Amino acid sequence: MQSSTKTDHIINIRITHKTARVPLLESIVFKDKAQALAELQTMENVVECLILQTCNRIELYIVSEKGEETLKDTKQHLAQRSTLSYEEAFKAIETALDHEAYKHLIRITSGLESMVIGEEQVLNQVWDAYLEAEKAKTLGPILKHLFNRAMTVGRRIRDATGISKGAVSVGSASVELAANLLDKLDDKKILVMGAGETGTIVAKALARRCLSPILFANRTYSRAVTLAETLGGEAVRFDKFQEVLVNADVVICATSAPHLLLTKEIVSHSMSKRTSQNSLIIIDISNPLNVEKSVQELSNVNLYTIDDLHLIAEKNLAERQKCVETACNMIDTELVIIDDDLKKLSVRLIISSLLSDAEQIRQTELAKAISKLGDVDDKKRKVIDDLTSVLLKQTFLPVIENLRIAAIKDDKETINIAIKLFDKEGNGFGKDAKE
C-alpha cells in the first residue's frame, strides 16, 4: 500500500542580478522554455516544475518528494548550462526549500526582489511563466495553488503599502541612466528598439522628458507606428534603423529577439558616416541581450546593460524603505496561512480517493433503489439523488476536516489510522501525481 503521508517539498533554484552579472546570466538562459520544462520534468523525483526567466533572473520551481536530493541535482543541472564557467555559476546559484521557497516567490510578486523595488512588470512575468508551465502540462495542484496565492498576495501587498506607486521599472531606470549621463534628454535624438511591454515602458518614460520626437523601431512595423502615434513620435522600419544610428544620441534596446541586433560591424558602419563628434550611448535591457559586447571597443560608443542600473535601484530602495518594512510584515502573516494550505494539500489524495469511492457506492446503490421503486419521474429521482448526495457530504465532512487538521498539525498517526480504516482492500489512496 502506498503511503499517503508522504511530504511534497517545494524547491527554488535561482540565479539573479543579486549574485551574477549579465554575461553569466546570459550563459544559462533557456532559449526554448517548453523544451526546458519537458527536460526538467523527466528528471528523477521531479513531480511539478515551472521556469521563471526575466532579464535579470532565472528561477526554477520544483515539487519533489526528495527535497534535498532534488535540490542538489537541479542546482547542478542549472550550473552545467553555463557556457562560461560551471564553478562560477554554481557559486552564484541560490537555493530555497519549502517555507523559504514560497516566501521568496511572494517577495517576487510583491516587488521586493526586483532590481528596482516595487516595479510592476514582474507580475506579468510571473503569470506568463505560470501559463507557459500550464501549457507544457508541468503544473500540479501544489504549484498551481502556490502561484495563484502568490499573485493574489503580491497585489494585495502592493495596494496596501503603495510600494509600486511611482516606482520605476528596469525600462524607466534605463531612461534615468541616460538622463544622468547626458544631464538632459529634451533635445536628444533617441531611438527605442522594441515596442513590446518593456519598450512601451521606456517610451512613456522618455515622452515625459523629451521635446524631440522619439524614434521607434520594431520588427512588426505596425506596433512601432501605434506607439509612435500614441506618444507623438516617429516609427522607423526595422531594416532602416541603421540609418538612424548615424545621428542618434541614445539607443535603448528593449526587445525579446533571441539574437544580436546591434553588432560591432553594424554600429561601426553607422559611426563611420557620423558627421558630429557626439558620442553614441547604447543601453541594452533586452532579454536576452541584443547588443554585441565588443561594440564598447568602438570609439565614441558607450555601452551599458542591466548591470549598470544598480545605483538607480539603490536610490529607489532608499526611498521605499518604509514600504518594504510594511510589506515584509504582511508577508510573514500570509506565510502562516500558506503553510497551513500546503499542509492540507498533502492529504488531498486521501480525501479525493475517499470521496470518489463513496460517490461510486452512492451511484451504484442509488441505481438499485430507483430500479426497485419502479416508475419514478424525474422530479422524484432528483429529490432522491439530492438527498443521498447531501447525506454523503454531511457524513464525510467531519472526516475531511479532521484529516486537514491532522495535516496542519503534522499528525501522521491520525492520517495513517484513516488509511487503515478506509483502505480496507489495501489498494492505497490514489497514485503519484507524476504517474
Side-chain angles (χ1 to χ4, degrees):
M1 178 175 67
Q2 176 187 332
S3 172
S4 291
T5 57
K6 67 182 179 68
T7 301
D8 287 315
H9 296 282
I10 298 165
I11 300 162
N12 170 243
I13 310 290
R14 63 184 182 271
I15 183 167
T16 73
H17 62 92
K18 292 186 175 182
T19 59
R21 293 181 68 81
V22 169
L24 185 57
L25 283 168
E26 286 287 296
S27 74
I28 298 175
V29 163
F30 292 99
K31 304 294 185 185
D32 186 335
K33 281 187 277 186
Q35 181 181 338
L37 285 166
E39 290 175 357
L40 264 182
Q41 197 172 36
T42 60
M43 289 179 64
E44 189 174 4
N45 300 318
V46 174
V47 179
E48 304 178 31
C49 59
L50 179 148
I51 297 174
L52 171 61
Q53 182 170 282
T54 72
C55 58
N56 53 25
R57 71 178 60 251
I58 301 168
E59 303 208 12
L60 310 180
Y61 288 86
I62 291 167
V63 174
S64 172
E65 288 184 52
K66 307 287 186 180
E68 294 289 351
E69 182 181 331
T70 305
L71 184 150
K72 180 181 177 181
D73 292 344
T74 314
K75 182 176 180 179
Q76 290 176 342
H77 172 77
L78 191 62
Q80 286 168 353
R81 289 187 54 80
S82 176
T83 55
L84 293 181
S85 167
Y86 170 84
E87 291 75 17
E88 186 182 357
F90 192 84
K91 185 178 179 180
I93 292 172
E94 297 177 289
T95 64
L97 186 64
D98 296 330
H99 182 91
E100 291 303 316
Y102 45 86
K103 179 179 182 179
H104 175 73
L105 176 59
I106 296 175
R107 285 180 59 85
I108 288 176
T109 59
S110 302
L112 300 184
E113 290 294 322
S114 297
M115 176 181 286
V116 183
I117 297 298
E119 66 101 356
E120 294 189 274
Q121 193 175 3
V122 71
L123 280 171
N124 290 335
Q125 292 166 337
V126 170
W127 189 242
D128 286 344
Y130 178 93
L131 294 177
E132 286 167 351
E134 187 174 50
K135 184 177 180 180
K137 301 188 185 305
T138 62
L139 292 182
I142 294 178
L143 287 185
K144 282 184 178 181
H145 178 84
L146 183 60
F147 272 77
N148 276 286
R149 183 76 180 183
M151 290 292 292
T152 300
V153 173
R155 290 192 183 99
R156 185 187 306 148
I157 288 174
R158 288 168 185 269
D159 290 342
T161 63
I163 196 169
S164 296
K165 188 176 181 181
V168 292
S169 63
V170 169
S172 55
S174 67
V175 175
E176 187 74 22
L177 174 61
N180 290 344
L181 293 169
L182 295 172
D183 292 330
K184 61 179 181 177
L185 300 176
D186 53 7
D187 61 344
K188 305 301 179 184
K189 188 169 185 177
I190 301 175
L191 170 65
V192 177
M193 297 181 68
E197 184 177 6
T198 302
T200 300
I201 291 172
V202 170
K204 289 180 178 179
L206 282 170
R208 292 191 289 268
R209 291 174 176 264
C210 299
L211 297 178
S212 302
I214 305 162
L215 303 173
F216 301 101
N218 193 70
R219 284 202 176 279
T220 305
Y221 181 64
S222 60
R223 295 189 68 172
V225 170
T226 300
L227 194 55
E229 290 176 347
T230 302
L231 298 174
E234 181 181 336
V236 177
R237 292 196 178 276
F238 208 77
D239 57 357
K240 301 292 184 183
F241 78 80
Q242 294 181 46
E243 298 174 10
V244 177
L245 290 181
V246 174
N247 297 310
D249 296 297
V250 180
V251 176
I252 299 180
C253 199
T255 83
S256 57
H259 53 272
L260 295 175
L261 297 177
L262 292 181
T263 63
K264 183 178 181 180
E265 181 182 358
I266 289 173
V267 178
S268 177
H269 180 71
S270 295
M271 293 299 289
S272 67
K273 297 183 178 181
R274 202 174 185 87
T275 56
S276 74
Q277 296 300 311
N278 294 341
S279 296
L280 171 63
I281 292 173
I282 301 175
I283 302 176
D284 188 3
I285 56 171
S286 302
N287 181 27
L289 293 179
N290 289 163
V291 183
E292 190 172 20
K293 187 177 180 181
S294 58
V295 162
Q296 63 191 352
E297 298 170 3
L298 297 173
S299 176
N300 281 343
V301 177
N302 299 307
L303 174 62
Y304 301 89
T305 67
I306 293 167
D307 286 336
D308 300 296
L309 301 181
H310 283 287
L311 287 178
I312 294 169
E314 289 171 7
K315 178 183 176 183
N316 180 71
L317 174 59
E319 293 172 350
R320 299 176 188 281
Q321 195 56 51
K322 188 173 181 180
C323 293
V324 170
E325 293 171 5
T326 303
C328 287
N329 291 333
M330 291 182 69
I331 287 173
D332 288 340
T333 300
E334 289 292 340
L335 285 174
V336 175
I337 300 171
I338 293 174
D339 272 327
D340 287 350
D341 286 346
L342 291 174
K343 287 177 179 178
K344 289 177 185 177
L345 280 174
S346 70
V347 292
R348 69 191 183 281
L349 294 179
I350 301 174
I351 293 172
S352 175
S353 183
L354 180 61
L355 292 177
S356 177
D357 290 347
E359 175 63 17
Q360 187 174 356
I361 293 170
R362 184 184 78 86
Q363 291 289 351
T364 299
E365 296 304 318
L366 177 63
K368 289 179 182 178
I370 295 295
S371 177
K372 289 179 181 179
L373 288 172
D375 188 16
V376 179
D377 59 34
D378 290 343
K379 184 177 180 180
K380 291 178 181 178
R381 184 188 296 271
K382 187 177 184 307
V383 170
I384 298 171
D385 184 52
D386 290 345
L387 173 63
T388 56
S389 180
V390 169
L391 285 173
L392 185 147
K393 290 176 182 177
Q394 292 299 322
T395 300
F396 281 98
L397 184 61
V399 176
I400 292 169
E401 288 303 311
N402 284 329
L403 278 171
R404 287 172 175 163
I405 291 170
I408 291 172
K409 294 180 177 180
D410 291 320
D411 183 1
K412 289 185 171 61
E413 182 180 356
T414 296
I415 296 171
N416 282 324
I417 289 172
I419 293 172
K420 291 178 182 178
L421 284 174
F422 292 103
D423 190 17
K424 298 178 182 179
E425 296 181 0
N427 293 323
F429 284 101
K431 296 181 179 179
D432 191 293
K434 193 175 179 180
E435 294 180 347

Short mmCIF file of all heavy atoms in Angstrom, two decimals, residues 33-53:
data_model
loop_
_atom_site.label_atom_id
_atom_site.label_comp_id
_atom_site.label_asym_id
_atom_site.label_seq_id
_atom_site.Cartn_x
_atom_site.Cartn_y
_atom_site.Cartn_z
N LYS A 33 11.81 27.45 -23.55
CA LYS A 33 11.35 27.11 -22.20
C LYS A 33 10.43 25.90 -22.19
O LYS A 33 10.41 25.14 -21.22
CB LYS A 33 10.65 28.33 -21.57
CG LYS A 33 11.65 29.34 -21.04
CD LYS A 33 10.98 30.46 -20.28
CE LYS A 33 10.47 31.51 -21.22
NZ LYS A 33 9.93 32.69 -20.51
N ALA A 34 9.69 25.68 -23.26
CA ALA A 34 8.83 24.49 -23.32
C ALA A 34 9.67 23.22 -23.29
O ALA A 34 9.36 22.26 -22.56
CB ALA A 34 7.97 24.53 -24.59
N GLN A 35 10.75 23.22 -24.05
CA GLN A 35 11.65 22.08 -24.05
C GLN A 35 12.35 21.93 -22.71
O GLN A 35 12.52 20.83 -22.20
CB GLN A 35 12.70 22.24 -25.16
CG GLN A 35 13.67 21.06 -25.26
CD GLN A 35 14.72 21.25 -26.35
OE1 GLN A 35 14.52 22.03 -27.28
NE2 GLN A 35 15.83 20.55 -26.24
N ALA A 36 12.74 23.07 -22.12
CA ALA A 36 13.41 23.04 -20.82
C ALA A 36 12.50 22.47 -19.75
O ALA A 36 12.94 21.70 -18.88
CB ALA A 36 13.86 24.45 -20.45
N LEU A 37 11.22 22.83 -19.78
CA LEU A 37 10.25 22.30 -18.82
C LEU A 37 10.09 20.80 -18.99
O LEU A 37 10.03 20.05 -18.00
CB LEU A 37 8.90 23.00 -18.99
CG LEU A 37 8.80 24.43 -18.45
CD1 LEU A 37 7.55 25.12 -18.98
CD2 LEU A 37 8.79 24.43 -16.92
N ALA A 38 10.03 20.36 -20.24
CA ALA A 38 9.90 18.91 -20.51
C ALA A 38 11.11 18.15 -19.97
O ALA A 38 10.96 17.07 -19.38
CB ALA A 38 9.74 18.68 -22.01
N GLU A 39 12.29 18.72 -20.16
CA GLU A 39 13.52 18.08 -19.67
C GLU A 39 13.54 18.04 -18.14
O GLU A 39 13.95 17.04 -17.54
CB GLU A 39 14.74 18.83 -20.19
CG GLU A 39 14.96 18.67 -21.69
CD GLU A 39 16.13 19.52 -22.19
OE1 GLU A 39 16.71 20.26 -21.37
OE2 GLU A 39 16.44 19.44 -23.39
N LEU A 40 13.10 19.13 -17.53
CA LEU A 40 13.07 19.18 -16.07
C LEU A 40 12.16 18.11 -15.50
O LEU A 40 12.49 17.42 -14.53
CB LEU A 40 12.58 20.56 -15.59
CG LEU A 40 13.60 21.63 -15.23
CD1 LEU A 40 12.89 22.88 -14.76
CD2 LEU A 40 14.57 21.13 -14.18
N GLN A 41 10.99 17.96 -16.12
CA GLN A 41 10.01 17.02 -15.57
C GLN A 41 10.44 15.57 -15.73
O GLN A 41 9.97 14.69 -15.00
CB GLN A 41 8.64 17.24 -16.21
CG GLN A 41 7.53 16.59 -15.38
CD GLN A 41 6.16 16.96 -15.88
OE1 GLN A 41 5.94 17.11 -17.06
NE2 GLN A 41 5.21 17.12 -14.96
N THR A 42 11.34 15.32 -16.66
CA THR A 42 11.83 13.95 -16.82
C THR A 42 12.94 13.60 -15.83
O THR A 42 13.33 12.44 -15.71
CB THR A 42 12.36 13.71 -18.25
OG1 THR A 42 13.45 14.61 -18.50
CG2 THR A 42 11.28 13.91 -19.29
N MET A 43 13.43 14.62 -15.11
CA MET A 43 14.46 14.36 -14.11
C MET A 43 13.88 13.53 -12.96
O MET A 43 12.70 13.65 -12.62
CB MET A 43 15.04 15.67 -13.56
CG MET A 43 15.90 16.43 -14.56
SD MET A 43 16.54 18.00 -13.89
CE MET A 43 17.57 17.38 -12.55
N GLU A 44 14.70 12.70 -12.39
CA GLU A 44 14.26 11.82 -11.31
C GLU A 44 13.71 12.63 -10.14
O GLU A 44 14.30 13.63 -9.73
CB GLU A 44 15.43 10.96 -10.84
CG GLU A 44 15.02 9.86 -9.87
CD GLU A 44 16.17 8.93 -9.52
OE1 GLU A 44 17.31 9.19 -9.97
OE2 GLU A 44 15.93 7.94 -8.80
N ASN A 45 12.57 12.20 -9.64
CA ASN A 45 11.90 12.76 -8.44
C ASN A 45 11.19 14.10 -8.68
O ASN A 45 10.60 14.64 -7.76
CB ASN A 45 12.90 12.95 -7.29
CG ASN A 45 13.54 11.64 -6.87
OD1 ASN A 45 12.88 10.61 -6.77
ND2 ASN A 45 14.85 11.67 -6.64
N VAL A 46 11.23 14.64 -9.91
CA VAL A 46 10.53 15.90 -10.19
C VAL A 46 9.07 15.60 -10.53
O VAL A 46 8.79 14.88 -11.48
CB VAL A 46 11.21 16.68 -11.33
CG1 VAL A 46 10.37 17.91 -11.69
CG2 VAL A 46 12.62 17.09 -10.92
N VAL A 47 8.16 16.16 -9.75
CA VAL A 47 6.73 15.93 -9.95
C VAL A 47 6.07 17.10 -10.68
O VAL A 47 5.26 16.92 -11.58
CB VAL A 47 6.02 15.68 -8.60
CG1 VAL A 47 4.51 15.47 -8.81
CG2 VAL A 47 6.63 14.49 -7.89
N GLU A 48 6.40 18.32 -10.27
CA GLU A 48 5.88 19.52 -10.90
C GLU A 48 7.05 20.48 -11.11
O GLU A 48 8.03 20.45 -10.36
CB GLU A 48 4.84 20.23 -10.01
CG GLU A 48 3.67 19.39 -9.58
CD GLU A 48 2.72 20.16 -8.67
OE1 GLU A 48 2.61 21.39 -8.83
OE2 GLU A 48 2.10 19.54 -7.79
N CYS A 49 6.95 21.35 -12.14
CA CYS A 49 8.03 22.32 -12.34
C CYS A 49 7.55 23.54 -13.11
O CYS A 49 6.57 23.48 -13.86
CB CYS A 49 9.22 21.68 -13.04
SG CYS A 49 8.86 20.97 -14.66
N LEU A 50 8.26 24.65 -12.91
CA LEU A 50 7.96 25.92 -13.57
C LEU A 50 9.26 26.69 -13.70
O LEU A 50 10.12 26.64 -12.81
CB LEU A 50 6.94 26.71 -12.74
CG LEU A 50 6.51 28.09 -13.24
CD1 LEU A 50 5.05 28.35 -12.84
CD2 LEU A 50 7.40 29.20 -12.68
N ILE A 51 9.42 27.42 -14.80
CA ILE A 51 10.60 28.25 -15.02
C ILE A 51 10.19 29.71 -15.11
O ILE A 51 9.34 30.08 -15.93
CB ILE A 51 11.34 27.85 -16.31
CG1 ILE A 51 11.85 26.41 -16.22
CG2 ILE A 51 12.51 28.80 -16.58
CD1 ILE A 51 12.47 25.90 -17.51
N LEU A 52 10.78 30.54 -14.25
CA LEU A 52 10.58 31.99 -14.30
C LEU A 52 11.87 32.60 -14.82
O LEU A 52 12.91 32.53 -14.17
CB LEU A 52 10.26 32.54 -12.90
CG LEU A 52 10.22 34.07 -12.76
CD1 LEU A 52 9.16 34.67 -13.67
CD2 LEU A 52 9.99 34.46 -11.31
N GLN A 53 11.81 33.21 -16.00
CA GLN A 53 13.01 33.77 -16.62
C GLN A 53 12.74 35.19 -17.10
O GLN A 53 11.82 35.42 -17.88
CB GLN A 53 13.42 32.88 -17.80
CG GLN A 53 14.68 33.32 -18.52
CD GLN A 53 15.15 32.26 -19.50
OE1 GLN A 53 15.74 31.26 -19.13
NE2 GLN A 53 14.87 32.49 -20.77
#
